Amino acid sequence: MGSEDCKNLLYDQACLQVWADNVSNISLWMQTKECYKCDLLKKENISNNRVTNIRLNTIYSLWLDLTNDSSHNNCRTLQTFEEHGVYQWNISNNFHCSQIKQISASQDLFMPFVYALLLIIPSLAAWFFISYLQRTYVVPSVFRFASKTDLDIENDFGTGSNEPVIIHPQIPTPVKNNSYRITSLDTFRGISIILMVFVNLGGGHYWFFDHAPWNGVTLADFILPWFCWVMGVSIAISLRSQLRSSTKRKYVFGRIVRRSIALLIMGLVLNSVNHNNLSTFRPFGVLQRLAFVYFIAATLETIFMKPQPYFTNTRLDVIRDIIESARQWIIVIILVAIHTSITFFLPIPGCPKGYLGPGGLYNSSSNFNCTGGAAGYIDRLILGENHLYPGTSKHIYQSLPFDPEGVLGILTNALLVYMGVHAGRIILCYQYTNERIKRWIAWTIVLGLIGGCLCNFSKEEGLIPINKNLFSLSYAFITGSSAFLIFIILFLIIEHWRLWSGSPFAEIGQNSIMLYLGHNIFYNTLPWRWQPVNETSHTEYLIMDCWATIFWCAIALVMHKKNIFIVV
């Protein structure tokens, strides 16, 4: 490879110059640290008495091994490379390897965020300025945002209805019963959908805005669980509202079926955008997963929920939320037990029972065709590899296709949604903020500890590692714990202390379905995206993805102003 290979490095690339001084038959073997228990792979033959330039990926630290093919001497090191840095590694004739030295400055990986803030901050400032003007009646009424104070119950996906929820922001002194929309829930939903849009658009092509290859989590891995959790809270509040209005349960169930089918159809149609080849069509997806877990949680509540809160007038009233939902939790626990039994005891041809790894290169390629264990086997058995998502582990482990929205993960995802349902039940069962907060904190701690114990508070170890692809039990518990924690913070700031109205996230959160459909359908179209002029850094990608996200938020805000909501 010539010296020109160190020129025009792309984002997440560095250049390593290897100089072999009178040493022949040398080869460079390499593997990322992220590839757990993987053998090194041959990368390049090193030329004698000249510089060999090698482009490297800088996302993860790399294991490098220079090996003499004739004498079997070797030099091994673990090195972290920085974007656009140029590094030098020298080998003398007695096969003495120097330390890897950086000979050219790297690029600041986080400098693009400064440029992104120059776009984000003025956009937020403009929003708050317009909001201030419309509150002070300085602008004409045509530009004012419509009042939403009478819409107090969100439905399961973000729009309003007319049944009030009682919130007593003062603790512990009783106050007059005022009705409020649970703005903190809209805000949480808005934050989740904005992050989802940003990540799906590319997240500036930063690795921490992408999903983890297999075990472990990044910010992107929390977003869908948060959205599912919020949906669970809304299910509890919405169904209690319908049952209190004496709506027959069969009609409530009919709405649930229609919504689930609508979500399922929208997901299938969305998957066909630019991918309508039936031989490779992917039937799984986010909306399809939401359809199934919504159906499970909403059906359980429709069957068992009481129209009015449960009171015993005894000491058991302190756990009336648990008593009221005992039957539902028994069924959810049975679903989790089914998931666990299948995961650990289903026989898989050529694979060990209970396998949870990515297959491919993992563990010295000992289970190459076992990607995802039982979950992957079931999906491949039902659909075949051609109809599955390629998988986030493929570029690291060279794994078989694995779909993160597959069949088995529905069961543990339903558990996460039901955590949200229980958070909503706490709102319905207890009137005062301190009663709610104490219970939410307890759930936060218990779920976090259970999830941590299952994964041994580590990335790769433990009985059940934290894994978004598998929607593992530890992943459901930890993301559920984080959802409780964030909601506690938002509830206190917005509902209790009244320090923030939740704007603009609360308004955006009421049109989440529109945002999800819109940014997927118009993913590669102007004015949201364009072909980057400069592909050598993250800067243009990050600005483009921030711009597209802000544009979609602006559309949602205008729709809110006009009282236009896309409902399911």
Side-chain angles (χ1 to χ4, degrees):
M1 303 178 70
S3 60
E4 67 274 10
D5 290 315
C6 278
K7 299 178 181 178
N8 301 319
L9 293 171
L10 301 179
Y11 64 89
D12 291 335
Q13 284 188 343
C15 181
L16 176 63
Q17 298 180 340
V18 182
W19 171 261
D21 184 11
N22 292 322
V23 184
S24 58
N25 299 321
I26 297 178
S27 56
L28 175 66
W29 295 68
M30 187 176 70
Q31 188 55 266
T32 67
K33 186 181 178 182
E34 180 68 21
C35 196
Y36 188 64
K37 295 183 179 180
C38 297
D39 294 329
L40 275 62
L41 301 178
K42 188 172 183 179
K43 174 69 175 178
E44 194 75 32
N45 289 319
I46 306 302
S47 302
N48 188 21
N49 291 324
R50 59 173 293 186
V51 173
T52 303
N53 293 314
I54 305 167
R55 290 195 181 202
L56 302 174
N57 192 288
T58 61
I59 294 178
Y60 305 110
S61 297
L62 297 174
W63 283 106
L64 302 175
D65 193 325
L66 282 172
T67 302
N68 188 305
D69 297 334
S70 56
S71 65
H72 301 293
N73 293 324
N74 74 311
C75 298
R76 175 173 290 198
T77 185
L78 177 65
Q79 181 73 28
T80 300
F81 296 92
E82 297 180 357
E83 186 176 85
H84 291 182
V86 178
Y87 299 80
Q88 189 175 68
W89 200 9
N90 299 326
I91 308 99
S92 62
N93 54 10
N94 60 356
F95 213 81
H96 173 73
C97 302
S98 67
Q99 289 187 341
I100 297 176
K101 298 179 180 179
Q102 185 171 351
I103 61 175
S104 177
S106 57
Q107 182 170 293
D108 187 348
L109 184 66
F110 298 101
M111 189 62 189
F113 284 94
V114 176
Y115 303 118
L117 287 175
L118 295 177
L119 178 64
I120 295 171
I121 292 175
S123 300
L124 287 173
W127 163 254
F128 286 115
F129 180 68
I130 293 172
S131 298
Y132 171 76
L133 292 180
Q134 67 95 21
R135 285 197 308 269
T136 55
Y137 299 94
V138 174
V139 295
S141 60
V142 68
F143 296 110
R144 295 187 193 131
F145 285 83
S147 172
K148 300 292 292 179
T149 55
D150 293 332
L151 301 181
D152 299 304
I153 288 288
E154 64 288 315
N155 81 4
D156 313 321
F157 300 99
T159 58
S161 70
N162 297 318
E163 181 69 22
V165 168
I166 304 303
I167 295 178
H168 293 281
Q170 299 297 327
I171 54 175
T173 305
V175 297
K176 181 181 178 180
N177 291 353
N178 292 321
S179 299
Y180 299 94
R181 182 180 178 91
I182 306 180
T183 309
S184 52
L185 193 61
D186 285 329
T187 303
F188 196 1
R189 186 189 295 109
I191 292 171
S192 300
I193 193 63
I194 290 170
L195 288 173
M196 188 181 294
V197 170
F198 175 70
V199 166
N200 288 350
L201 289 171
H205 288 200
Y206 282 98
W207 67 268
F208 42 80
F209 291 137
D210 198 2
H211 296 289
W214 194 249
N215 292 334
V217 285
T218 65
L219 174 63
D221 295 314
F222 283 91
I223 298 170
L224 179 61
W226 289 345
F227 192 85
C228 290
W229 189 92
V230 170
M231 183 176 71
V233 179
S234 300
I235 286 172
I237 298 173
S238 176
L239 290 183
R240 174 63 61 81
S241 172
Q242 294 178 58
L243 295 176
R244 286 178 62 185
S245 64
S246 299
T247 304
K248 291 184 178 180
R249 294 181 190 267
K250 65 178 181 180
Y251 295 132
V252 175
F253 180 71
R255 292 171 187 167
I256 292 169
V257 172
R258 288 195 298 272
R259 279 183 181 169
S260 301
I261 293 174
L263 281 172
L264 192 62
I265 292 174
M266 284 192 295
L268 293 172
V269 172
L270 200 60
N271 284 6
S272 70
V273 176
N274 301 322
H275 299 88
N276 57 1
N277 186 342
L278 292 179
S279 63
T280 58
F281 179 74
R282 179 193 177 211
F284 296 146
V286 170
L287 291 181
Q288 294 92 313
R289 170 65 66 83
L290 290 177
F292 286 114
V293 296
Y294 167 74
F295 178 80
I296 292 171
T299 299
L300 284 177
E301 288 302 295
T302 301
I303 295 172
F304 296 114
M305 177 181 271
K306 298 179 183 297
Q308 299 294 336
Y310 180 85
F311 293 98
T312 64
N313 294 318
T314 67
R315 292 182 179 181
L316 292 177
D317 276 346
V318 297
I319 57 169
R320 58 179 176 268
D321 55 309
I322 298 174
I323 294 173
E324 184 178 310
S325 59
R327 290 175 294 180
Q328 295 95 307
W329 273 115
I330 289 172
I331 294 175
V332 170
I333 291 171
I334 290 173
L335 294 179
V336 172
I338 292 171
H339 172 276
T340 304
S341 299
I342 293 174
T343 298
F344 285 99
F345 300 111
L346 179 70
I348 305 170
C351 303
K353 286 185 179 180
Y355 183 77
L356 299 174
L361 301 176
Y362 176 78
N363 199 19
S364 301
S365 306
S366 57
N367 303 109
F368 195 92
N369 295 321
C370 299
T371 302
Y377 174 68
I378 290 171
D379 292 340
R380 291 190 294 272
L381 191 66
I382 295 173
L383 296 174
E385 294 182 12
N386 292 337
H387 296 279
L388 301 178
Y389 188 72
T392 59
S393 62
K394 186 175 181 63
H395 68 288
I396 295 292
Y397 290 99
Q398 300 179 16
S399 306
L400 298 178
F402 183 87
D403 206 304
E405 279 79 47
V407 173
L408 195 58
I410 293 173
L411 302 179
T412 41
N413 201 332
L415 167 66
L416 178 67
V417 173
Y418 212 77
M419 294 176 194
V421 171
H422 198 87
R425 176 168 282 104
I426 290 173
I427 293 176
L428 297 171
C429 288
Y430 304 97
Q431 293 186 343
Y432 294 101
T433 299
N434 63 337
E435 296 177 309
R436 295 165 176 171
I437 295 297
K438 286 188 293 186
R439 286 163 176 82
W440 290 334
I441 290 176
W443 278 91
T444 302
I445 295 172
V446 170
L447 293 176
L449 287 175
I450 294 174
C453 290
L454 287 175
C455 67
N456 199 27
F457 295 93
S458 66
K459 179 180 176 181
E460 301 287 352
E461 305 299 331
L463 176 64
I464 304 178
I466 181 170
N467 189 296
K468 190 266 181 187
N469 285 284
L470 296 171
F471 220 100
S472 65
L473 261 181
S474 57
Y475 174 73
F477 283 124
I478 289 173
T479 54
S481 174
S482 69
F484 271 101
L485 178 61
I486 292 174
F487 186 63
I488 289 169
I489 295 170
L490 292 174
F491 193 88
L492 286 172
I493 292 173
I494 296 172
E495 253 74 45
H496 176 54
W497 293 321
R498 307 289 181 86
L499 299 177
W500 176 36
S501 67
S503 183
F505 302 104
E507 293 87 348
I508 293 169
Q510 295 178 50
N511 249 320
S512 55
I513 290 295
M514 182 282 298
L515 282 176
Y516 186 81
L517 292 174
H519 91 275
N520 276 288
I521 294 172
F522 298 102
Y523 176 79
N524 270 326
T525 61
L526 289 169
W528 294 277
R529 295 181 67 83
W530 56 87
Q531 181 63 39
V533 177
N534 180 9
E535 298 182 90
T536 63
S537 77
H538 291 274
T539 303
E540 189 171 356
Y541 288 102
L542 183 61
I543 291 175
M544 179 171 60
D545 295 339
C546 286
W547 156 253
T549 304
I550 291 170
F551 202 145
W552 280 114
C553 290
I555 293 173
L557 290 171
V558 171
M559 292 178 66
H560 181 271
K561 173 182 182 289
K562 301 294 184 181
N563 274 334
I564 301 173
F565 301 97
I566 306 299
V567 297
V568 179

